[in-house]
């Protein structure tokens, strides 16, 4: 089953399956929150990010485990990120690499928990 278009997962008043992981995958939602909190619209490169019909595994700078589609790497060095690191990043439980070097991203203590 394919997930619901991304924008539906962020409109709980209109979509009653928001908490269904098969329709609204936790990892994709976490990455959308990361994009928003780090001012994704201002990034240098953001190919496919938050595209409602493209898997998060195809978003620029994202690498996934081929078998599970779990995010294992976020590599966005020198990409114009600013703002704060969303604590939803902790929902990426198999994340091995997080490279946000040479950006203006702030990290709060809550994001690290």
């Amino acid at each position: 089953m394919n997930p619901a278009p991304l924008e539906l997962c962020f409109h709980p008043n209109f979509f009653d399956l928001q908490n269904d992981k098969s329709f609204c995958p936790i990892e994709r939602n976490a990455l959308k929150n990361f994009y928003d909190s780090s001012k994704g619209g201002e990034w240098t490169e953001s190919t496919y990010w938050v595209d409602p019909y493209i898997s998060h595994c195809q978003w620029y700078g994202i690498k996934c485990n081929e078998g599970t589609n779990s995010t294992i790497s976020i590599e966005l060095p020198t990409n114009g990120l600013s703002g704060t690191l969303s604590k939803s990043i902790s929902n990426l439980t198999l994340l091995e690499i997080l490279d946000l070097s040479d950006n203006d991203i702030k990290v709060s203590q809550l994001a690290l928990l």
Side-chain angles (χ1 to χ4, degrees):
M1 174 182 328
N2 289 327
L6 186 61
E7 65 268 11
L8 288 179
C9 295
F10 286 86
H11 291 287
N13 296 334
F14 305 112
F15 192 63
D16 63 354
L17 294 174
Q18 178 185 20
N19 295 318
D20 184 317
K21 294 175 189 172
S22 62
F23 284 101
C24 298
I26 291 171
E27 292 210 357
R28 186 178 67 163
N29 292 347
L31 290 168
K32 161 81 162 84
N33 288 331
F34 167 74
Y35 177 86
D36 291 342
S37 71
S38 61
K39 302 180 183 177
E42 299 174 8
W43 293 358
T44 305
E45 179 65 57
S46 61
T47 302
Y48 299 131
W49 273 82
V50 300
D51 184 294
Y53 301 104
I54 294 181
S55 167
H56 67 277
C57 295
Q58 294 177 299
W59 296 357
Y60 176 80
I62 300 297
K63 291 183 183 146
C64 292
N65 175 295
E66 290 183 25
T68 63
N69 281 342
S70 296
T71 305
I72 57 171
S73 174
I74 300 174
E75 298 182 65
L76 297 168
T78 317
N79 200 43
L81 282 71
S82 60
T84 58
L85 182 64
S86 169
K87 75 175 193 172
S88 68
I89 204 88
S90 65
N91 289 329
L92 306 174
T93 57
L94 297 180
L95 188 67
E96 299 171 4
I97 298 170
L98 178 62
D99 183 358
L100 306 177
S101 59
D102 298 318
N103 287 291
D104 188 26
I105 196 87
K106 308 280 187 283
V107 179
S108 72
Q109 291 290 58
L110 291 176
L112 297 175
L113 298 177

